[in-house]
Each structure stands twice: as C-alpha cells, then as structure tokens.
Amino acid sequence: MAGGSGAEREEAEEAVSGAQLIAEALKAQKIEYMFGIVGIPITEIAVAAQAVGIKYVGMRNEQAACYAASAVGYLTSRPGVCLVVSGPGFLHALGGMANATMNCWPLIVIGGSSDRNQETMGAFQEFPQVEAGRLYNKMSVRPSSLEVIPAVIEKAVRTSIYGRPGSCYIDIPGDFVNLQVNKSSVKYVECCLPPPISKAECSAVSEAASIIAHSKQPLLIIGKGAAYSRAENNIRKLVDLCGLPFLPTPMAKGVVPDNHPNCVAAARSMALQHADVIILLGARLNWILHFGLPPRFRQDVKVIQIDICAEELGNNVRPAAILLGDINTVTKQLLEEFSKRSLKYPSNSEWWKRLREKITNNEKRSKGLALQKTLPMSYYTVFHHIRELIPKDCILVSEGANTMDIGRTMLPNYYPRVRLDAGTFGTMGVGLGFAIAAAMVAKDRTPGKRVICIEGDSAFGFSGMEVETICRYNLPILIIVVNNNGIYTGLNADTWKELLKFGDPATCVPPVSLLPNSHYEEIMSAFGGKGYFVKTPEELQNALKASVADKETPSLINVMIDPQSERKQQEFPWLTRSNL
C-alpha cells in the first residue's frame, strides 16, 4: 500500500535551491540587513534574501559593504551580512572582517567560490578562501552539502555573538547556489538562543569594591564593550552613586553623557597619569589607552579589569582585581555591593579640584581656538559651528586624522552607540559604510534620527563613490568633508602651482598633499543630492542649517580650512611609540 497522501508526498518532494536555503536560514536567525556587490556566483542569493524580507543594500566596493554590515552588528547586537563574489571580491572584504573582529563586533560574511568540480584546475577566481578567512574570523567554514546550510548558518550567527563578538565567514561553492535538494532532507534548525549572560565571582566583586573604596584618586574608564552590552543605565547609576570621575574611550562617548559633571575627558592625560585606581569597564589596555604603562600611567596604579573575554584579563598590566563577565551584569553586581557599603567619593577632594582645574584650562584653550576669526578657518572653528547646529541625538560617524581626533574632543555625545569611528584597528575608509548602515538602522528603529558623517578629505577618498549608494537608497545622510588639501597637512593652490614648476608632481609634491580646493561636493550633486562649497563661518552656518532642515535629501558640505591647521599642542603624542 502506498504510504502517505498526495499532498504529503508533494511536500516531501518539494525542492529548494541553495540560494533559497541560505536566505531562509538567515531570516530564521533574525538577520535583517545584507550589504554587498552581486556577480558570479552569488546574485541569486541577494535576490532570495529580498524575497524573504531581508533588506539588501548594493554597495560600490566590498570593503565598504563589509564595514556597513559590521556596523549593523554593533548598533543592533545582531550581525549584518556582507555578500561578496569569489576571489577578488572576497579579498576586498578581508579588511572589514579584520576590523569587525578587532572591534569585537558581530558580522557574517558569505562569499561565493569556484565550483567544487573545478577545484585545483585554475577555476574562475579560484582562491583558498576558507583558509585565508581563518586569520580574520572566529569561524571560517564551507558547508559540506546543501542539507547542512541552515545548521552552519545558525552556528556562524551564534559564534559571532557569543563570548567576545566577531566576524564569521561562510564559503559557498558556485554550484551550490542553483543546485536543488528536497526540503525533506534539509537539516532545519531554530534561531539560536540569546548569548548567555555571565556574572563575575562574588569574591572578585567584593575585592574590587574594597579597592575602589580605599582609592584616593579613582578613575572609571568606559570602553565600547560597555556600549555594546547596553550597560548605560547601570553605569550611570554607578557614577552617580559613587561620585566617580569617568573617562570614555572614543566609541564609548555617550554611554554616560559627555556633559555629565563627572566626565573628565577634557583632562584625559592628567586623569590617566595620576589615577591610583582605574576601573576598566569593557575597555582594553591597548594603544588607545597607551598599554596602561608609564609615563602615561602611574607605575603603582591598581587596575580593576571587567571584561567578557578571559584572555584579555591581565594584558600589559597585572590587574589588582579581575571581574570576568558581561559588562552590564557585572556593573549591576558592583551596584549591589555598594548598596551594602555606602561609597560617595567626595566632590571637594584634592583629586577633583585638580581635575576640574585642568578641565577648565583645556576648555578655555579650545574655546579660544574655536572663536578665531582668521581665514581660512581652522579645525576648531569648523567644529565649533558644527556643534552649535547639529541635532544632539544624531549619530556621528567620524574618520580622518586631525578631523577625527579634534572632532572627538569638540563634538559631545549624549547617548550611547551614536559615535562610530576608526576604532581599535584605526581603520580609514570606514566612514561612508558606517553611515549607510546607521541610516538603514535608524530608518527602521528611530525614524527621524539624523546621521552625520564628518570626514577628512583623505578619508573621504577611500569610499567616496558610496555617495551614489546613499543617493540610490535616498538616505538623508549629511556628509561634512573637512578639507585641508592633504593627509595631516596640505598645500594651498599657490604653493601647489609653484611646486609644479620644479617638474613631475610624483617627484616634487610632498606625499601628504592632495589636489588643492577639490570640489567633493560636486560628487553629491552629480547623483542628485545637495552639495555645498564653503570657505567662511557664515557660509558654513548657512549650509549646515539648510542640510539639517532638509530631512529627505542627502547632502555634502565641503569645508575648506587652512591647509596647515593642526591640533593644539598636546602634553603627550597621541600614539605611544617604543623608545628604541
């Protein structure tokens, strides 16, 4: 007797393609956004993704696409997907994979590869992608069959968000994309569980609280790991309860608002150099914090390290206390501990007095630079006017050398996860990819929130053609190019012309120079956005007001500044180098 009804047999024999399996598996894992560039062999995957409701954004370069997908992971705690073609397309995305893993952001990269039956034959764009991907990813894998694709994708998503987040790569042979298999043979899996929340040992929490209570010059350093863990409410309570001075790392700005009275960012060097106890909340003692070593830190500083990654604990400086666990949960544990033993660091202490004096002096110096009337404008003048006119709740994307560094000090952030920059890897070229990702997420989750991308002219050049992507998807991003005609510093037009009299620019023009007075705003105009070329504070104010008021149209303001404008003199160089 024949088994099963006709309907049951039809369902059992229903075929599904590799592209459909990939799209459905991603959707099952609650993936919302995909960025990439289509081509052989992955075009059908993008089409299938759209068919199941995943938003696909076609970019102009795989590197920018990968940066965008990684930013989605940071902003939403769910990885974005970067879809790339084989060989060169995969290689272009490696920078984004490395950047995501270094920043501890979840990311999934899906790369097409050559057909299985052509391996070792010199196939089109053949390359050992799985092997190459292992250097940059938490997981690099090729599914052994169509049937296991959902399980592989579930593991990749789970791996990307569990523990210390990072990038995962999935390699898809070209012949898998249109190959079909019966649905009944597919190993379907449910959405992975949320990342487990781990607590620190109670004894470690008690020890840390005791060290903090006995400190004379404490400092709380907030890292972007705290921003990722959504720890802002508990950290704000800890700061207010204990009266601790705090210093955010660049992308942690806004976890506690920059205008909070306990923020000592304007006295950063002094706070780091003289603190006797430092509490690291999701921050690493890497180059950004000068490795925690003298002369930037005290030789006898006691470090309390709070991190989700056990391997990070003790790097460069032996900690006085280690609290392994989720930043938000551990902060809550500290709050509970301090509810038992009241601690309120006195606001009239000598430590606070010295910090406030340094803050006042530094802010006075910056204000003096910002209010200069000289033309061409300086960085400080430009950022002064930007600060006065942009929305307080906007998402700020920043990259460039002086543009990013000075902008960090001049532009306050009041909310968590609203600043995206070059990050732990110091990556240039991330700006427009990050801005596109932020605009896509904002459109869905916080409609009306503006995305403002402030770039140096050199940084803009890395991914400037993504302006077309911005206009194609009608994302009302405001790009501000702070244009000094160069990398670090540039030349004015007259000096440039004089130098060309000496011969070929390849031999006589300084390597840091870019073409003077380049009209980057015309790139935006070419694709239907609005472009502004400004040289004076009045022109900058007018362009900013018009761009902020227009919430429908992308715009680019090209701001010409003094080519020799630099950051004010610093007590220490920004990059700690070895003394060899």
Side-chain angles (χ1 to χ4, degrees):
M1 181 177 179
S5 68
E8 288 173 338
R9 286 196 302 273
E10 183 179 335
E11 182 179 347
E13 295 169 4
E14 184 180 350
V16 62
S17 71
Q20 289 173 298
L21 277 173
I22 293 166
E24 290 170 2
L26 291 171
K27 186 68 174 179
Q29 298 305 318
K30 299 182 181 178
I31 299 299
E32 297 181 68
Y33 304 95
M34 178 183 285
F35 304 82
I37 300 178
V38 295
I40 298 172
I42 49 87
T43 301
E44 292 85 352
I45 297 174
V47 173
Q50 286 182 319
V52 299
I54 295 172
K55 295 184 177 180
Y56 174 81
V57 178
M59 306 285 281
R60 302 305 298 266
N61 183 283
E62 289 91 353
Q63 198 169 40
C66 208
Y67 293 145
S70 69
V72 163
Y74 174 64
L75 293 170
T76 69
S77 299
R78 205 74 188 172
V81 171
C82 178
L83 180 67
V84 298
V85 299
S86 50
F90 165 83
L91 290 171
H92 292 167
L94 287 178
M97 298 181 212
N99 192 65
T101 298
M102 292 294 289
N103 275 325
C104 309
W105 292 356
L107 167 70
I108 301 296
V109 178
I110 296 177
S113 59
S114 49
D115 292 359
R116 291 171 297 168
N117 63 359
Q118 295 178 354
E119 285 185 5
T120 75
M121 295 176 64
F124 176 66
Q125 297 183 336
E126 183 177 1
F127 190 77
Q129 294 172 192
V130 175
E131 293 83 352
R134 290 195 178 104
L135 285 172
Y136 309 93
N137 294 276
K138 293 181 71 177
M139 168 181 164
S140 183
V141 65
R142 170 189 279 194
S144 58
S145 66
L146 264 63
E147 287 84 351
V148 300
I149 282 175
V152 168
I153 287 177
E154 185 273 343
K155 183 173 182 178
V157 171
R158 175 163 41 87
T159 301
S160 77
I161 60 176
Y162 274 35
R164 172 179 277 179
S167 177
C168 291
Y169 173 67
I170 303 172
D171 194 69
I172 302 295
D175 54 310
F176 269 22
V177 176
N178 291 312
L179 187 66
Q180 296 199 338
V181 66
N182 288 337
K183 274 191 170 183
S184 59
S185 65
V186 175
K187 184 182 177 182
Y188 288 103
V189 293
E190 295 180 5
C191 184
C192 64
L193 295 171
I197 303 298
S198 54
K199 289 185 175 183
E201 294 181 14
C202 293
S203 59
V205 174
S206 179
E207 182 183 7
S210 179
I211 293 169
I212 296 169
H214 288 91
S215 64
K216 303 296 183 185
Q217 297 177 176
L219 178 65
L220 179 66
I221 299 180
I222 305 170
K224 69 176 178 294
Y228 181 82
S229 72
R230 274 42 182 185
E232 53 267 17
N233 292 335
N234 282 327
I235 292 176
R236 175 71 181 266
K237 289 177 184 176
L238 182 66
V239 169
D240 291 338
L241 177 68
C242 299
L244 297 171
F246 74 88
L247 173 70
T249 60
M251 266 192 276
K253 280 164 59 69
V255 169
V256 180
D258 283 348
N259 62 351
H260 190 284
N262 288 36
C263 181
V264 295
R268 181 181 188 273
S269 291
M270 180 184 170
L272 293 177
Q273 193 175 19
H274 297 288
D276 64 346
V277 170
I278 287 177
I279 306 104
L280 289 173
L281 274 173
R284 290 174 276 178
L285 290 177
N286 54 21
W287 67 274
I288 293 176
L289 288 174
H290 320 289
F291 314 110
L293 300 174
R296 302 303 300 269
F297 290 74
R298 286 172 50 152
Q299 183 72 47
D300 61 348
V301 64
K302 293 181 179 179
V303 174
I304 297 169
Q305 200 167 4
I306 305 169
D307 206 282
I308 199 171
C309 178
E311 289 81 359
E312 187 62 40
L313 300 171
N315 279 347
N316 298 320
V317 175
R318 183 182 178 89
I322 55 175
L323 285 75
L324 176 63
D326 171 72
I327 304 300
N328 188 35
T329 302
V330 175
T331 305
K332 188 176 180 181
Q333 288 180 273
L334 282 170
L335 280 169
E336 292 169 353
E337 186 69 24
F338 283 122
S339 69
K340 303 173 191 173
R341 54 167 104 181
S342 179
L343 168 67
K344 185 75 172 182
Y345 189 75
S347 60
N348 61 350
S349 68
E350 184 64 24
W351 178 229
W352 261 122
K353 181 181 176 182
R354 292 169 61 197
L355 287 170
R356 290 195 182 103
E357 185 178 322
K358 188 67 171 179
I359 289 168
T360 300
N361 290 339
N362 283 345
E363 288 180 343
K364 186 176 179 180
R365 286 177 63 200
S366 294
K367 186 175 181 180
L369 292 168
L371 297 178
Q372 288 177 343
K373 302 295 184 183
T374 55
L375 291 177
M377 294 181 285
S378 71
Y379 284 105
Y380 291 90
T381 304
V382 169
F383 282 119
H384 168 73
H385 292 292
I386 292 174
R387 182 179 61 202
E388 294 298 309
L389 292 171
I390 61 174
K392 282 191 172 183
D393 66 342
C394 69
I395 298 175
L396 276 174
V397 181
S398 182
E399 67 169 332
N402 290 327
T403 299
M404 183 176 66
D405 290 340
I406 299 171
R408 183 185 70 250
T409 65
M410 292 285 292
L411 300 177
N413 297 103
Y414 304 99
Y415 302 95
R417 297 170 296 282
V418 294
R419 177 181 166 85
L420 298 166
D421 64 23
T424 306
F425 213 23
T427 308
M428 290 296 109
V430 297
L432 296 192
F434 281 2
I436 289 167
M440 291 295 295
V441 172
K443 184 167 63 171
D444 291 340
R445 301 191 176 203
T446 51
K449 184 185 286 287
R450 298 304 302 272
V451 176
I452 298 178
C453 182
I454 305 176
E455 308 249 304
D457 49 333
S458 171
F460 177 75
F462 281 85
S463 55
M465 279 305 292
E466 299 301 340
V467 168
E468 186 275 332
T469 309
I470 291 170
C471 291
R472 184 171 9 119
Y473 291 95
N474 197 32
L475 301 173
I477 296 167
L478 166 56
I479 302 169
I480 302 172
V481 177
V482 184
N483 189 348
N484 70 342
N485 301 334
I487 304 168
Y488 305 116
T489 58
L491 301 173
N492 61 37
D494 292 338
T495 305
W496 177 270
K497 289 178 183 177
E498 288 299 313
L499 279 176
L500 293 185
K501 293 178 182 178
F502 292 95
D504 188 338
T507 58
C508 64
V509 169
V512 295
S513 299
L514 299 174
L515 188 66
N517 302 328
S518 295
H519 282 264
Y520 299 114
E521 79 286 351
E522 292 184 2
I523 299 175
M524 179 64 80
S525 301
F527 296 117
K530 293 182 178 178
Y532 304 87
F533 184 77
V534 306
K535 292 184 175 182
T536 69
E538 294 74 24
E539 291 172 346
L540 175 57
Q541 288 174 341
N542 292 336
L544 281 168
K545 289 175 183 176
S547 299
V548 170
D550 187 347
K551 298 180 180 180
E552 305 295 329
T553 312
S555 55
L556 190 154
I557 304 174
N558 185 13
V559 187
M560 300 308 302
I561 67 168
D562 182 353
Q564 297 301 308
S565 179
E566 293 193 84
R567 193 177 182 187
K568 69 177 187 285
Q569 186 64 40
Q570 302 292 301
E571 188 176 352
F572 292 98
W574 68 270
L575 181 62
T576 301
R577 305 294 296 271
S578 299
N579 295 318
L580 298 178

